[in-house]
Amino acid sequence: MTCNAHFRRYGITLKPLTADMLETVRQWRNDPEIAKHMLDQTYITSDMQRSWFEKLEHDDSRRYWVIWFKEQPIGVASLVSIQGDASWAEPGMYIYPEQYRNNIVPFCAAFALNDFAFEQLQLQTLVGKIYQSNEASVRFHEKSGYVEMPQDAALEVPKVEEQGLRYYILTQNAYEAAKAPIARFIRYD
Amino acid sequence: MTTERLKVVFAEALGLPAEKITDDLAYNSIKEWDSTAHMILVAALEDTFDVMLDTDDIIDMSSVAKAREILKKYDIEC
């Protein structure tokens, strides 16, 4: 699969981020409802966005997609810190339209991203950084198979010491086991 | 009017007291109704009313009243 290919699963299409979607994505990202859940809540200007995107095009350790659902762009999915030895990467995702944020759609998008990570990139582990205060995110990750990273984990993940920030990990086996009871409700052809 | 059976399903899935389950309870109005709770709710509705919902109906189920309206499409009165 090439870097520019679309990845379709669970009614979701992940389309690699392109220049024509940058402004839409910037506006989504700067919306307080989205920004408040980001580790870095800096306001993104057009220049910052353009500069970031130019660097992204030459960086194999980061991938960004626009999430499409029902022929509409609805959010952003990402994998960053993709390790050259495929040992781990850090996924990220947000859904912009309110009507899709709190139901099955976030699971569809996360499953598409996880499938890409485990199947296409052959990653061994996904690492999530989650604030304990974000209860919905903690529940979502645990429902998706994540467990809190053990203190003695072999993964060499650079840790940011920040109050309330926890590290979670997801292996493919744990993911597949957690996915099954939810994926049965995704009844798209 | 929310029937007792539907009220119990919502109360258990969302972890709320039954008296808080009213027709106008909507998923963007309380923190308890997040995406995880939504899936627990859908599973409970399917089990309780012996129905298989379309995925689009699962997405559209954004309030108690809407849930009743959707279930009615499947000939379930509640």
Side-chain angles (χ1 to χ4, degrees):
Chain A
M1 167 169 270
T2 67
C3 290
N4 296 323
H6 296 176
F7 188 72
R8 293 186 179 85
R9 294 278 168 92
Y10 316 108
I12 293 287
T13 303
L14 299 179
K15 298 185 183 181
L17 178 61
T18 48
D20 61 309
M21 286 301 294
L22 279 183
E23 184 54 24
T24 301
V25 167
R26 190 180 75 87
Q27 289 183 16
W28 287 344
R29 162 61 182 76
N30 284 334
D31 187 306
E33 277 301 307
I34 299 298
K36 73 181 181 186
H37 297 299
M38 298 288 169
L39 296 178
D40 178 359
Q41 301 184 4
T42 309
Y43 181 85
I44 309 292
T45 65
S46 296
D47 285 347
M48 288 163 70
Q49 180 91 335
R50 214 167 15 252
S51 170
W52 168 82
F53 185 66
E54 283 166 8
K55 289 176 190 160
L56 187 66
E57 289 184 302
H58 309 287
D59 187 350
D60 290 336
S61 73
R62 298 182 294 166
R63 290 190 182 211
Y64 284 78
W65 295 264
V66 173
I67 302 166
W68 287 71
F69 181 65
K70 294 185 180 295
E71 312 302 325
Q72 291 181 344
I74 64 162
V76 173
S78 60
L79 288 169
V80 301
S81 301
I82 301 170
Q83 303 298 296
D85 61 0
S87 55
W88 64 275
E90 189 181 322
M93 182 188 86
Y94 62 80
I95 303 288
Y96 188 71
E98 195 175 35
Q99 75 266 29
Y100 294 142
R101 279 186 210 159
N102 289 323
N103 48 43
I104 199 171
V105 177
F107 284 104
C108 297
F111 291 169
L113 181 63
N114 292 351
D115 282 6
F116 187 91
F118 288 124
E119 294 176 21
Q120 304 296 321
L121 299 183
Q122 302 276 299
L123 290 169
Q124 294 162 31
T125 307
L126 294 178
V127 177
K129 295 178 190 169
I130 310 162
Y131 286 109
Q132 286 303 98
S133 56
N134 190 348
E135 292 175 24
S137 181
V138 170
R139 280 158 54 85
F140 181 83
H141 281 80
E142 289 179 345
K143 191 78 173 169
S144 302
Y146 280 82
V147 293
E148 197 159 356
M149 184 187 288
Q151 293 287 350
D152 59 351
L155 284 181
E156 291 183 13
V157 178
K159 288 193 174 178
V160 179
E161 290 301 328
E162 198 171 331
Q163 186 70 28
L165 189 64
R166 298 281 188 274
Y167 287 73
Y168 286 75
I169 56 172
L170 180 68
T171 61
Q172 187 167 10
N173 283 345
Y175 163 56
E176 296 296 344
K179 179 177 71 173
I182 300 170
R184 70 190 176 97
F185 296 109
I186 306 171
R187 292 160 183 153
Y188 293 121
D189 294 332
Chain B
M1 190 72 177
T2 306
T3 61
E4 209 53 40
R5 211 162 156 216
L6 189 61
K7 193 181 276 194
V8 168
V9 172
F10 267 85
E12 288 181 355
L14 301 182
L16 291 172
E19 59 268 24
K20 287 202 171 180
I21 309 301
T22 59
D23 261 11
D24 56 358
L25 180 67
Y27 90 148
N28 53 3
S29 65
I30 52 167
K31 69 176 177 60
E32 288 84 354
W33 196 338
D34 58 18
S35 49
T36 304
H38 191 84
M39 297 316 301
I40 293 168
L41 172 65
V42 167
L45 287 170
E46 289 204 354
D47 287 347
T48 302
F49 297 106
D50 192 21
V51 65
M52 186 178 279
L53 301 165
D54 288 343
T55 306
D56 285 346
D57 287 330
I58 292 172
I59 293 168
D60 288 343
M61 200 172 288
S62 55
S63 69
V64 175
K66 189 72 182 175
R68 182 184 299 101
E69 182 186 319
I70 287 168
L71 288 168
K72 199 170 182 178
K73 287 192 341 188
Y74 298 82
D75 295 327
I76 296 164
E77 294 285 347
C78 56

